[in-house]
Amino acid sequence: MAAERGGCCLEAVPLPPEVRESLAELELELSEGDITQKGYEKKRAKLLARYIPLIQGVDPSLQAENRIPGSSQATAAVSKQQKSRSTNSRDERFRSDVHTEAVQAALAKYKERKMPMPSKRRSVLVHSSVETYTPPDTSSASEDEGSLRRQGRITSTPFQSHSSVEPWLNRVIQGSSTSSSASSTSSHPGGKPAAASSAAAAAATVLADLMAHAQLDNHSAPPDVTTGLVEHLHHERPQVASVRGIPRGYNSSILETADGVPVNSRVSSKIQQLLNTLKRPKRPPLKEFFVDDFEELLEVQQPDPNQPKPEGGQMTVLKGEPLGVVTNWPPSLLAALQRWGTTQPKTPCLTALDTTGKAIYTLTYGKLWSRSLKLAYTLLNKLTSKNEPLLKPGHRVALVFPNSDPVMFMVAFYGCLLADLVPVPIEVPLTRKDAGSQQIGFLLGSCGVTLALTTDVCQKGLPKAQTGEVVTFKGWPRLVWFVMDGKHLAKPAKDWHPQVRDASADIAYIEYKTSKEGSAMGITISHASMLAHCHALTQSCGYSEAETLTNVLDFKREAGLWHGVLTSVMNRMHVVSIPYALMKVNPLSWIQKVCSYKARVAVVKSRDMHWSLLAQRDQRDVNLSSLRMLIVADGANPWSISSCDAFLNVFQSRGLRPEVICPCASSSEALTVAIRRPPDLGGPPPGKAVLSMNCLSYSVIRVDTEEKLSVLTVQDVGQVMPGANVCVVKVDGTPYLCKTDEVGEICVNSGATGTAYYGLLGITKNVFETIPVTAAGVPVSDQPFTRTGLLGFIGPDSLVFVVGKLDGLMVVNIRKHNADDVVATALAVEPMKFVYRGRIAVFSVTVLHDDRIVLVAEQRPDASEEDSFQWMSRVLQAIDSIHQVGVYCLALVPANTLPKAPLGGIHISETKQRFLEGALHPCNVLMCPHTCVTNLPKPRQKQPDVGPASMIVGNLVAGKRIAQASGRDVTQLEDNDQARKFLYLADVLQWRAQTTPDHPLFLLLNSKGTVASTASCVQLHKKAERVAAALMEKGRLNVGDHVALVYPPGVDLIATFYGCLYAGCTPITVRPPHPQNLATTLPTVKMIVEVSKSACILTTQGIMKLLKSKEAATAVDIKTWPTILDTDDIPKKKVANIFRPPSPDMLAYLDFSVSTTGILAGVKRHHFPEQY
């Protein structure tokens, strides 16, 4: 035995009976707590001291190494287990003619399949493994020795190098020890089998055998049956000569070991008492009761060995140009406002437009300064609560203004800054059920907001309670609404002057952001960051005094606020604000204002550029030569390149220069990350990259050609902002620097970024205090970086490229997909004909610990159900072809029913929440779980010889799936039962026609809900007889011939089905072609008829004419149809003999279906009763 285990011919020396008995007594004392562990080992070593020299080359320290306490083993295994778990009109932003052509080409491939082969779903759970079964126990020895022999055996087998044997051994060790004295193994502390090839290792193995004579090992739980391997190892346990010390004079008796295994052996009473003691399981740690082992039960997705991997070198931190020194630069934004308000009071600051495009008011710098002073004085001195000031410096104030009133918002914003208050701009709540309104209320509550500033017009439009006061919105704190029109503002006292201080680290304002899960978070921007950002924008955009800027964006947040409210005041610029309501009425209004005001800069989104393309035909006198920068704020969206190219193609002849278009990338946390600059400002030539989508899904950059179907064309978003350092880090886990050809999250180190999420210290540290490290773990800087949430890479000429956002990232089976890319693919499938205004939402839901893609779209009001499913099927095919990923659910909702964002887009997080709550109310749904859920749990396996105690402990601690469910047995009919002879469906119908002839079986309802036709038992029986007679006489069919039933759902379909059974034919139900869409529906009918080898087609007269029409001839070869019989006017004849199947195994009917990916599959159904 020693030779087998250690590879050396050493023989085990048996211990004398008195020594074994003494060792057993020591074990008992230790288990009952009568002796300490140290005393136990001391006495035990003394007993064995005389026998240890018999073994040559044995290090005495091996004694302690070979005996590992059970508790430490379990703890090590659990910690390892936990560690393994822890590592785991159309919206033209998405418009691309190239991508549309690629999608159409992909769909065309499905049309070329004339004869799809029937497919069978392959289970990914069919392979067995060594971990699926408990190795057999054929030894008469007790379990402690068996475990030693088993490990020694596996170590010496050819499978010892198999990587999957180790986890099984780990779980055996983890579940084997229930007391501190029962854990002797021949493995090292990590649970790995020792490779005993030397004499010393062999001697250690023999020593372990000696220890086994005096130790008991209790395996109370069999190995976990959770993971799969390739092979099933089946070995017999070697027989051993020596089992335990057996004193002479004892009769043999049958007893149970600690595992309850009957063993014929003679043992002493003390050993028997020890065995009984070990039967009492040790109480496991509390945390083991709450370990989620569900992930282990799922099929582990194996990585593709051929997947692309990054090959470039490690990137370095990219440094932007230094911030220039500007003479006479104001020390703060408020100092700039004071300077321009007192020295240039008549200079226009902001022009507001109404919904007709007329300028209704122009705010000068003098008016902005004076009104802001009045508001600051009123907020600090005139608002009281219980004779105490309502507001104090540092308090947060909500700004509630509509998108059409930039003037009052600007006064309120700067008034709060002058009063040393913190403005929190939010959207106007129109109803109590606005999308995301509750989360905004939570943000206001966490910020401690008690006052909301608004205008008289806006306040009147808010929902009111019966008392006339503004209602308290759901989840909102109780607010005091202050109307800041002129009559409510007090003139400042002569001795009151605001404190215009230099920029500091104090909070200037809070900008809200909605996370991927829908929660609203407040991002704090300090006075110093606000000033530094204005400085960086001024330098990168080349802003100068008295320039005119046209702002189409929301002025309350992000780029609309940074350019149109903050940086414009710093540089004494004139801003023309275009309200969203005007853009809906006149999409060309911003271009008209650029022409009329000779604007030098315009800030837009790609959506605005496309809207203007649709309306430009009606406007001819357009000249954009005054523009030096057209800033595309959503340049980080990779699909904005199509709108930029199309806009340049149309307006280049009207004065627009190519270098004017300047995409930029920004985020709420890092503010502006990068912006393209014209050549006169030192910018390099623009860049473009055509990337493989498949490689991007693995975060790898590979340049492809535009001829490929699945490519993504992206444009650069310019260079890094002045004074900033940028790097790209891995998205998950430790922020290691990415390689040069790897996609990661862009991080920024700059003085012009946000500082924190207000009141959220945990995620603040993860986002705003990231320390990127090299592959060796060395920090790249001692200054923290801010995560931007943008996914991209650094290209040639230090240009920044963005391929997606972290909020839209969906990780499906290791591969990463961007929601915007999936939206673009869906919109490329006939969008204008079906999708209402291009409103599509794509998000992911978690099913079985993996993301699943959900696509929700608004369909046009005039779309039919047939059109809906045709479009959905084509979308699934396109996404499968372009992205190689399945869609879990595709839902269509009526027009204008999806929750809307403040500026008209779809509120994604609210849509996802409604989907999860079942409150989406779709009108058409297509679920495809079988194509995307491939990690289903392993099938339940019944464990042998499981007692009640094992079931409880096993379920709570080991996580074994013992429970199983089964339906009741199908009872056989009694012999005297009259219905016993009616075993088949055709027999049952005949019996029902005799016993209950007038019983109504089917009711057919029309579109109005009224009954169109009925069928009783006798009516259905007689019609089936007529169909059977027609098949035999006109069709001349034989028993077993296949008949295609091309009928819409109704009584005729059911009658012909039973008629085929009466005649002994095999029916195949086929969905009839759509008269208005023969090109796509008729080939499916043709395929089913040909693949099923139908000898005849039964249908109605109308469908028969359609199958033989000229329109059908353009789609299929109508001359190859089999015999077609219409059943509208068949003669009233009875069949002589109704066919009765000679065997229950005879084929009853065929069920054909076409999957969403275009694969035709047929299922055979037999007459056997259990099949129904």
Side-chain angles (χ1 to χ4, degrees):
M1 187 63 213
E4 180 182 342
R5 297 180 56 175
C8 181
C9 297
L10 291 177
E11 191 146 345
V13 180
L15 294 174
E18 59 269 17
V19 176
R20 296 175 182 170
E21 187 171 341
S22 300
L23 286 173
E25 290 176 356
L26 279 178
E27 294 280 355
L28 180 61
E29 292 176 357
L30 179 63
S31 64
E32 294 180 350
D34 297 333
I35 190 173
T36 63
Q37 179 73 27
K38 186 175 180 180
Y40 163 81
E41 292 183 353
K42 186 176 180 180
K43 290 184 178 182
R44 180 172 170 276
K46 187 176 180 180
L47 284 171
L48 297 176
R50 70 182 68 178
Y51 304 102
I52 293 178
L54 296 176
I55 306 170
Q56 300 297 325
V58 176
D59 188 351
S61 63
L62 288 175
Q63 281 186 316
E65 181 176 327
N66 277 280
R67 188 186 185 284
I68 304 170
S71 60
S72 64
Q73 280 188 350
T75 305
V78 169
S79 63
K80 182 176 180 181
Q81 188 181 30
Q82 291 174 345
K83 181 178 178 182
S84 65
R85 286 189 185 122
S86 62
T87 55
N88 197 89
S89 91
R90 168 178 170 186
D91 189 347
E92 293 299 324
R93 292 175 295 171
F94 310 101
R95 179 182 179 276
S96 171
D97 294 335
V98 175
H99 189 64
T100 302
E101 293 175 1
V103 171
Q104 299 301 331
L107 292 174
K109 289 186 176 181
Y110 286 87
K111 293 185 178 180
E112 297 175 1
R113 301 179 182 179
K114 296 183 178 180
M115 186 77 69
M117 296 297 295
S119 66
K120 179 180 180 181
R121 286 176 54 191
R122 180 189 303 173
S123 173
V124 296
L125 308 171
V126 294
H127 42 69
S128 60
S129 68
V130 67
E131 297 186 4
T132 308
Y133 305 96
T134 303
D137 186 359
T138 58
S139 170
S140 61
S142 57
E143 187 65 20
D144 57 334
E145 295 169 355
S147 65
L148 291 172
R149 297 326 190 262
R150 183 187 307 148
Q151 293 191 10
R153 179 188 69 252
I154 294 178
T155 305
S156 61
T157 60
F159 293 92
Q160 67 181 16
S161 61
H162 202 295
S163 61
S164 299
V165 175
E166 178 187 334
W168 183 83
L169 292 174
N170 287 338
R171 282 197 294 275
V172 171
I173 294 171
Q174 176 186 354
S176 64
S177 177
T178 57
S179 72
S180 61
S181 63
S183 58
S184 173
T185 68
S186 62
S187 63
H188 288 291
K192 299 181 180 180
S197 59
S198 64
T205 307
V206 175
L207 181 61
D209 283 339
L210 291 175
M211 302 308 160
H213 291 291
Q215 295 181 17
L216 297 174
D217 195 4
N218 176 25
H219 290 274
S220 63
D224 190 12
V225 284
T226 54
T227 52
L229 288 178
V230 179
E231 297 191 56
H232 171 213
L233 298 182
H234 185 89
H235 297 283
E236 292 201 4
R237 183 175 300 173
Q239 302 292 327
V240 291
S242 176
V243 179
R244 296 185 188 276
I246 306 175
R248 295 181 180 179
Y250 281 88
N251 294 326
S252 62
S253 60
I254 297 179
L255 52 91
E256 288 186 351
T257 65
D259 280 323
V261 181
V263 175
N264 291 322
S265 180
R266 294 175 295 175
V267 297
S268 67
S269 60
K270 289 188 177 181
I271 294 180
Q272 179 61 54
Q273 185 179 3
L274 177 60
L275 289 173
N276 294 334
T277 302
L278 293 178
K279 281 185 177 181
R280 297 195 295 267
K282 181 181 178 182
R283 184 177 180 85
L286 183 62
K287 63 180 181 180
E288 292 189 11
F289 285 93
F290 301 97
V291 173
D292 179 17
D293 66 339
F294 191 66
E295 293 182 10
E296 295 183 0
L297 300 174
L298 301 179
E299 182 73 11
V300 178
Q301 300 293 332
Q302 299 298 330
D304 184 4
N306 299 321
Q307 73 182 44
K309 297 180 180 179
E311 302 170 354
Q314 183 175 277
M315 73 160 299
T316 57
V317 177
L318 178 63
K319 296 184 178 181
E321 62 184 90
L323 272 174
V325 179
V326 182
T327 58
N328 201 21
W329 184 258
S332 67
L333 188 60
L334 293 179
L337 174 61
Q338 184 181 30
R339 175 193 296 178
W340 307 131
T342 54
T343 62
Q344 302 284 341
K346 304 256 184 185
T347 303
C349 172
L350 177 66
T351 297
L353 308 177
D354 61 10
T355 54
T356 63
K358 294 181 180 180
I360 55 175
Y361 188 80
T362 297
L363 180 69
T364 62
Y365 279 93
K367 285 288 186 182
L368 175 60
W369 171 250
S370 62
R371 289 189 181 183
S372 300
L373 282 178
K374 286 183 179 181
L375 178 61
Y377 177 78
T378 303
L379 293 177
L380 291 178
N381 298 279
K382 297 300 181 181
L383 299 181
T384 60
S385 175
K386 298 180 181 179
N387 297 326
E388 290 290 333
L390 184 63
L391 298 173
K392 295 180 180 180
H395 283 190
R396 275 71 58 194
V397 178
L399 305 188
V400 185
F401 295 90
N403 186 259
S404 58
D405 198 350
V407 173
M408 297 303 288
F409 172 82
M410 203 169 191
V411 171
F413 189 89
Y414 282 102
C416 289
L417 295 184
L418 284 173
D420 205 10
L421 300 173
V422 179
V424 185
I426 61 172
E427 306 298 337
V428 179
L430 300 179
T431 66
R432 301 188 68 175
K433 296 182 180 180
D434 279 355
S437 175
Q438 187 172 354
Q439 294 296 331
I440 294 295
F442 175 79
L443 171 64
L444 297 179
S446 63
C447 291
V449 174
T450 57
L451 180 77
L453 297 181
T454 187
T455 62
D456 185 54
V457 175
C458 181
Q459 198 263 354
K460 290 180 179 177
L462 295 174
K464 303 291 192 304
Q466 294 181 352
T467 58
E469 297 179 353
V470 178
V471 299
T472 300
F473 297 95
K474 185 178 181 181
W476 284 43
R478 187 172 297 277
L479 298 178
V480 176
W481 293 84
F482 180 71
V483 176
M484 48 164 287
D485 290 352
K487 60 183 178 180
H488 298 97
L489 301 182
K491 188 176 181 180
K494 292 183 179 181
D495 58 346
W496 183 85
H497 299 284
Q499 294 182 354
V500 181
R501 295 175 296 184
D502 293 349
S504 65
D506 295 336
I507 300 177
Y509 70 95
I510 296 177
E511 180 174 317
Y512 83 89
K513 174 198 173 181
T514 303
S515 69
K516 183 178 181 180
E517 292 75 23
S519 58
M521 300 177 293
I523 300 169
T524 59
I525 313 294
S526 66
H527 287 273
S529 296
M530 184 169 61
L531 179 67
H533 191 223
C534 292
H535 192 177
L537 285 179
T538 300
Q539 180 173 329
S540 58
C541 298
Y543 286 143
S544 60
E545 295 182 16
E547 273 192 321
T548 302
L549 180 147
T550 302
N551 181 24
V552 191
L553 307 183
D554 183 7
F555 51 77
K556 297 188 289 295
R557 57 197 303 266
E558 296 185 340
L561 174 67
W562 306 332
H563 290 267
V565 176
L566 304 180
T567 310
S568 61
V569 171
M570 181 65 71
N571 294 280
R572 193 171 62 85
M573 298 172 63
H574 178 204
V575 177
V576 180
S577 183
I578 312 294
Y580 176 71
L582 174 59
M583 286 294 295
K584 292 176 65 177
V585 177
N586 181 12
L588 207 62
S589 57
W590 70 274
I591 294 181
Q592 296 170 349
K593 298 308 171 187
V594 168
C595 298
S596 59
Y597 285 93
K598 304 296 180 185
R600 302 280 291 157
V601 181
V603 186
V604 299
K605 284 189 176 182
S606 57
R607 170 197 61 192
D608 308 318
M609 300 171 71
H610 174 72
W611 283 358
S612 60
L613 288 176
L614 298 179
Q616 58 88 20
R617 300 171 185 172
D618 303 330
Q619 190 75 21
R620 297 183 179 180
D621 52 344
V622 171
N623 191 346
L624 300 180
S625 58
S626 64
L627 277 180
R628 65 174 185 84
M629 283 191 78
L630 178 60
I631 300 175
V632 185
D634 63 341
N637 186 331
W639 298 96
S640 62
I641 183 174
S642 57
S643 295
C644 294
D645 292 345
F647 189 83
L648 178 62
N649 291 336
V650 172
F651 288 97
Q652 188 170 5
S653 60
R654 304 186 184 184
L656 181 67
R657 300 185 301 278
E659 64 272 13
V660 167
I661 299 179
C662 300
C664 74
S666 62
S667 73
S668 300
E669 292 84 359
L671 308 186
T672 305
V673 178
I675 187 170
R676 187 190 293 176
R677 299 160 209 182
D680 55 349
L681 294 178
K688 185 176 77 169
V690 182
L691 307 176
S692 167
M693 277 192 180
N694 180 56
C695 295
L696 282 178
S697 67
Y698 293 102
S699 299
V700 178
I701 304 165
R702 291 292 181 268
V703 178
D704 216 323
T705 60
E706 293 189 3
E707 287 75 22
K708 296 290 184 65
L709 298 181
S710 55
V711 295
L712 179 66
T713 304
V714 294
Q715 61 182 347
D716 71 283
V717 290
Q719 294 175 298
V720 179
M721 294 295 290
N725 298 325
V726 168
C727 65
V728 182
V729 301
K730 296 185 181 296
V731 175
D732 301 319
T734 306
Y736 289 107
L737 288 178
C738 289
K739 296 183 178 180
T740 53
D741 60 342
E742 186 177 7
V743 173
E745 184 176 5
I746 300 174
C747 296
V748 176
N749 166 245
S750 169
T753 63
T755 56
Y757 292 119
Y758 189 88
L760 303 174
L761 300 180
I763 58 176
T764 291
K765 186 173 182 61
N766 294 334
V767 174
F768 293 93
E769 300 175 17
T770 298
I771 304 294
V773 295
T774 63
V778 180
V780 300
S781 171
D782 56 353
Q783 297 294 323
F785 281 67
T786 299
R787 290 181 177 267
T788 63
L790 302 176
L791 303 176
F793 60 94
I794 307 299
D797 296 328
S798 299
L799 295 176
V800 180
F801 289 83
V802 178
V803 298
K805 292 186 178 182
L806 202 60
D807 285 347
L809 189 65
M810 303 177 295
V811 183
V812 181
N813 190 15
I814 306 174
R815 297 178 61 215
K816 300 178 176 67
H817 304 274
N818 195 279
D820 290 344
D821 300 342
V822 179
V823 170
T825 301
L827 282 173
V829 183
E830 301 176 341
M832 302 304 292
K833 297 180 181 179
F834 185 80
V835 182
Y836 180 72
R837 295 181 178 271
R839 292 173 57 83
I840 295 180
V842 172
F843 52 87
S844 62
V845 296
T846 302
V847 179
L848 296 183
H849 297 274
D850 203 358
D851 284 352
R852 314 296 176 188
I853 297 177
V854 177
L855 191 149
V856 182
E858 290 185 359
Q859 69 179 26
R860 289 182 174 275
D862 55 347
S864 65
E865 181 180 353
E866 184 72 24
D867 295 337
S868 301
F869 280 93
Q870 286 294 330
W871 183 83
M872 288 192 288
S873 299
R874 291 170 62 83
V875 166
L876 294 178
Q877 294 170 5
I879 293 176
D880 178 69
S881 177
I882 300 295
H883 305 277
Q884 291 86 46
V885 67
V887 177
Y888 177 70
C889 175
L890 202 161
L892 300 178
V893 298
N896 286 321
T897 56
L898 287 180
K900 294 182 180 180
L903 292 184
I906 298 177
H907 201 290
I908 302 295
S909 59
E910 184 71 16
T911 303
K912 177 179 178 179
Q913 187 63 29
R914 293 188 184 181
F915 174 83
L916 295 175
E917 294 174 353
L920 204 56
H921 304 305
C923 50
N924 290 296
V925 176
L926 189 57
M927 299 286 294
C928 309
H930 57 282
T931 62
C932 53
V933 181
T934 57
N935 61 332
L936 292 174
K938 289 182 170 56
R940 299 174 186 265
Q941 294 186 359
K942 187 176 182 179
Q943 303 296 324
D945 301 328
V946 177
S950 298
M951 290 180 65
I952 296 174
V953 177
N955 284 328
L956 293 178
V957 180
K960 292 190 296 294
R961 296 165 61 87
I962 301 174
Q964 64 181 14
S966 60
R968 63 180 178 84
D969 295 335
V970 179
T971 59
Q972 294 293 332
L973 298 174
E974 298 294 337
D975 292 336
N976 57 359
D977 195 331
Q978 184 182 0
R980 176 168 175 76
K981 57 183 179 180
F982 306 118
L983 292 178
Y984 308 120
L985 281 180
D987 298 335
V988 173
L989 179 58
Q990 299 173 55
W991 175 47
R992 293 288 304 275
Q994 295 175 2
T995 57
T996 58
D998 298 327
H999 179 77
L1001 288 178
F1002 299 100
L1003 294 177
L1004 180 63
L1005 304 180
N1006 57 22
S1007 58
K1008 297 181 180 179
T1010 58
V1011 177
S1013 62
T1014 62
S1016 63
C1017 297
V1018 68
Q1019 290 173 340
L1020 186 62
H1021 167 68
K1022 291 182 177 179
K1023 192 161 187 178
E1025 280 189 322
R1026 294 200 297 269
V1027 171
L1031 287 174
M1032 295 177 181
E1033 295 179 5
K1034 293 185 178 180
R1036 298 180 180 179
L1037 300 182
N1038 299 319
V1039 173
D1041 285 345
H1042 293 182
V1043 179
L1045 310 181
V1046 186
Y1047 291 91
V1051 176
D1052 289 340
L1053 175 63
I1054 302 170
T1056 51
F1057 181 89
Y1058 279 96
C1060 291
L1061 296 182
Y1062 280 11
C1065 298
T1066 303
I1068 299 106
T1069 58
V1070 184
R1071 189 173 185 175
H1074 196 281
Q1076 299 176 351
N1077 197 8
L1078 283 178
T1080 56
T1081 58
L1082 190 58
T1084 303
V1085 177
K1086 183 73 171 178
M1087 267 190 289
I1088 297 176
V1089 171
E1090 292 179 351
V1091 172
S1092 63
K1093 299 179 181 179
S1094 298
C1096 178
I1097 297 177
L1098 291 183
T1099 184
T1100 63
Q1101 287 184 357
I1103 297 177
M1104 183 176 68
K1105 293 179 180 179
L1106 188 63
L1107 297 179
K1108 298 180 179 181
S1109 63
K1110 294 181 180 179
E1111 292 81 3
T1114 60
V1116 297
D1117 186 4
I1118 61 175
K1119 296 181 180 179
T1120 58
W1121 288 116
T1123 304
I1124 303 177
L1125 301 178
D1126 73 271
T1127 58
D1128 288 347
D1129 297 318
I1130 53 178
K1132 295 182 180 181
K1133 291 185 178 181
K1134 290 185 179 182
V1135 64
N1137 293 315
I1138 295 179
F1139 176 79
R1140 196 171 192 275
S1143 169
D1145 295 329
M1146 184 176 178
L1147 188 64
Y1149 68 96
L1150 290 175
D1151 185 7
F1152 276 90
S1153 63
V1154 180
S1155 70
T1156 53
T1157 54
I1159 298 176
L1160 182 65
V1163 179
K1164 294 181 179 180
R1165 293 293 185 180
H1166 299 273
H1167 284 280
F1168 191 62
E1170 291 185 3
Q1171 295 289 337
Y1172 294 104

